[in-house]
Amino acid sequence: MRRSNRRGRTGRMEANILHADLDAFYASVEQLLDPALRGKPIAVGGGVVLAASYEARAFGVRGGMPGRRARELCPGLIFVGGHFKDYQRLGDAAIQVLGDFTPVVERISIDEAFADVAGCTHLFGPPAEIATTIRRRVRAELGLPISVGVARTKHLAKIASQVAKPDGLVVVDPRHELEFLHDLPVELMWGVGPVTRERLAGIGVRTIGELARTNGGSLERLLGPAAGEKLNALAWNRDPRKLETQRRARSAGAQSALGRKPAEAKIFVPTLLHLADRVATRLRAKSRPGRTVTVRVRFADLRSVTRSITLDQPISATAMLAEIAEAMVRKVLVDHPHEKTISLLAIAVSHLEKQPALQLELPLGLDDDRRRPGTRKGAARWTADRAIDKIRDRFGWEAVGYASVALGQSRSVPDAFRELAEKEL
């Protein structure tokens, strides 16, 4: 890790943090590869919109939206299948442009990254000049638009890049940070999704300035102590986080947007097994099992319910993870009997351990022996998973898998797209 800011001659902190974000990345790549698509409303995907161009967004088309709904909003919408290898290649190349200016780069997704340029201004000029050069190079060398925000903190730099979109540059003067920040809508903040935005709107909070001036106790009652305190600090631009150039993921997760499907076992059981398969495979590949399993269920009205459980021993077996997740989802549905439709399911595993010591257990014949990694049944499941991993490593992901997934689920989101979004452990 590196300290993200330095003091100038006046003693105040300088705006040295850049947040670079490729604009409508997947759709922009498709328009780059096929010039006939430029200026037209396009969407990557089919059954579900994976990404939309700005021309499509003008009609209200958004990522995660069912394809049928997208076509209703934009009758002239053009769907394309997606060129996943090109996404990875061009995303890597864009991040490398940042690396040509500074080694302090924190990549947070395939198409965005932070960069600390405090140590290279004597070589390349002020941060704003560096950002301008980065944007020019990405456009000239890769043919892609990229927006950059420059600020004193990570949170403010990310907001600045959003304000700069599409294809722009915003530099926030440290002397006028709150003037810039407080007039903006709360949904630009990290951690404010549709549900939180609606909750805040319910108490009359729509701008970041209104959030900053809201009583802390009110926020904590509305959002919980941790979220309320964090958002209040960010609303005042109090963000002490430093760039992490070799950040190790603290969790592994996967999610599946279902559109609007019945809250029935024939829907959620194979979906959870597929998600568990993706997550557990990554855990085993890095030898990093985890203790805490979290599931998220989103209903038709976009309201989400999250449940977590912390286990005695870390797990990385697919079937164990799927069964634990299934039990939690069933409990969620029992607790919400009036919810009949699911729009999204997600699984995450956290509290990852590096090379844990496996505690073997006596064969006591307990009901949950199959979910305990130290039992004979638990060890057999892990061994079977490792055999599957070896086959997939040699012949590809589709060579072998769980029958209930293959027979029970039609995946509208390609696995190649999911892999692009998964963090490296």
Side-chain angles (χ1 to χ4, degrees), residues 374-396:
T375 65
R376 180 176 295 178
K377 291 181 178 178
R381 285 181 151 187
W382 187 87
T383 301
D385 282 335
R386 291 301 295 152
I388 290 175
D389 294 340
K390 290 180 180 178
I391 294 173
R392 286 173 168 171
D393 288 343
R394 183 172 181 179
F395 299 105

Side-chain angles (χ1 to χ4, degrees), residues 118-238:
C120 62
T121 54
H122 63 292
L123 294 174
F124 304 111
E129 185 176 328
I130 294 173
T132 299
T133 305
I134 288 171
R135 294 186 61 246
R136 184 169 58 246
R137 279 191 53 186
V138 170
R139 171 67 78 175
E141 298 172 16
L142 306 178
L144 294 172
I146 187 168
S147 294
V148 180
V150 183
R152 187 175 55 85
T153 65
K154 291 173 70 174
H155 179 249
L156 193 56
K158 183 170 174 62
I159 286 181
S161 72
Q162 294 179 76
V163 174
K165 288 181 175 295
D167 195 18
L169 167 65
V170 169
V171 180
V172 183
D173 189 326
R175 297 169 297 181
H176 305 293
E177 290 174 340
L178 297 185
E179 296 174 30
F180 168 80
L181 184 62
H182 282 180
D183 288 336
L184 298 173
V186 290
E187 55 264 32
L188 291 184
M189 297 180 67
W190 245 327
V192 178
V195 174
T196 301
R197 181 189 62 196
E198 292 303 317
R199 289 181 180 176
L200 291 171
I203 61 171
V205 174
R206 291 178 172 80
T207 68
I208 297 176
E210 291 170 341
L211 175 62
R213 293 185 291 271
T214 300
N215 178 272
S218 299
L219 286 178
E220 291 183 8
R221 287 190 294 272
L222 183 69
L223 306 174
E229 182 180 0
K230 177 182 178 182
L231 288 181
N232 181 263
L234 293 178
W236 289 104
N237 198 33
R238 294 195 292 267

Side-chain angles (χ1 to χ4, degrees), residues 2-273:
R2 286 279 303 274
R3 184 170 296 277
S4 298
N5 297 297
R6 67 177 183 183
R7 294 188 181 275
R9 294 179 180 178
T10 62
R12 64 176 174 84
M13 300 298 285
E14 300 285 348
N16 295 315
I17 303 300
L18 277 58
H19 179 262
D21 192 358
L22 290 156
D23 297 319
F25 176 56
Y26 301 110
S28 294
V29 171
E30 296 301 328
Q31 292 174 326
L32 174 69
L33 297 176
D34 183 357
L37 297 175
R38 294 176 186 174
K40 297 180 180 179
I42 72 165
V44 180
V48 174
V49 175
L50 307 179
S53 66
Y54 280 106
E55 296 85 358
R57 295 182 189 184
F59 289 86
V61 178
R62 296 289 185 271
M65 178 179 289
R68 179 181 301 177
R69 176 57 178 162
R71 289 185 177 91
E72 291 173 355
L73 292 173
C74 181
L77 188 64
I78 302 170
F79 272 92
V80 294
H83 293 79
F84 302 100
K85 290 183 179 179
D86 289 303
Y87 299 157
Q88 189 68 66
R89 172 179 61 83
L90 291 166
D92 291 346
I95 303 303
Q96 183 55 52
V97 173
L98 274 68
D100 290 344
F101 291 87
T102 173
V104 190
V105 176
E106 178 184 342
R107 187 172 186 174
I108 58 177
S109 72
I110 188 174
D111 58 348
E112 62 178 317
F114 290 102
D116 181 354
V117 298
C120 62
T121 54
H122 63 292
L123 294 174
F124 304 111
E129 185 176 328
I130 294 173
T132 299
T133 305
I134 288 171
R135 294 186 61 246
R136 184 169 58 246
R137 279 191 53 186
V138 170
R139 171 67 78 175
E141 298 172 16
L142 306 178
L144 294 172
I146 187 168
S147 294
V148 180
V150 183
R152 187 175 55 85
T153 65
K154 291 173 70 174
H155 179 249
L156 193 56
K158 183 170 174 62
I159 286 181
S161 72
Q162 294 179 76
V163 174
K165 288 181 175 295
D167 195 18
L169 167 65
V170 169
V171 180
V172 183
D173 189 326
R175 297 169 297 181
H176 305 293
E177 290 174 340
L178 297 185
E179 296 174 30
F180 168 80
L181 184 62
H182 282 180
D183 288 336
L184 298 173
V186 290
E187 55 264 32
L188 291 184
M189 297 180 67
W190 245 327
V192 178
V195 174
T196 301
R197 181 189 62 196
E198 292 303 317
R199 289 181 180 176
L200 291 171
I203 61 171
V205 174
R206 291 178 172 80
T207 68
I208 297 176
E210 291 170 341
L211 175 62
R213 293 185 291 271
T214 300
N215 178 272
S218 299
L219 286 178
E220 291 183 8
R221 287 190 294 272
L222 183 69
L223 306 174
E229 182 180 0
K230 177 182 178 182
L231 288 181
N232 181 263
L234 293 178
W236 289 104
N237 198 33
R238 294 195 292 267
D239 182 11
R241 293 171 301 167
K242 309 300 187 289
L243 270 67
E244 300 179 36
T245 57
Q246 297 183 7
R247 179 176 58 178
R248 182 177 292 275
R250 298 181 177 88
S251 65
Q255 67 180 31
S256 179
L258 303 177
R260 293 172 62 91
K261 294 293 180 65
E264 300 174 357
K266 65 180 181 180
I267 299 297
F268 65 76
V269 170
T271 300
L272 291 172
L273 183 53

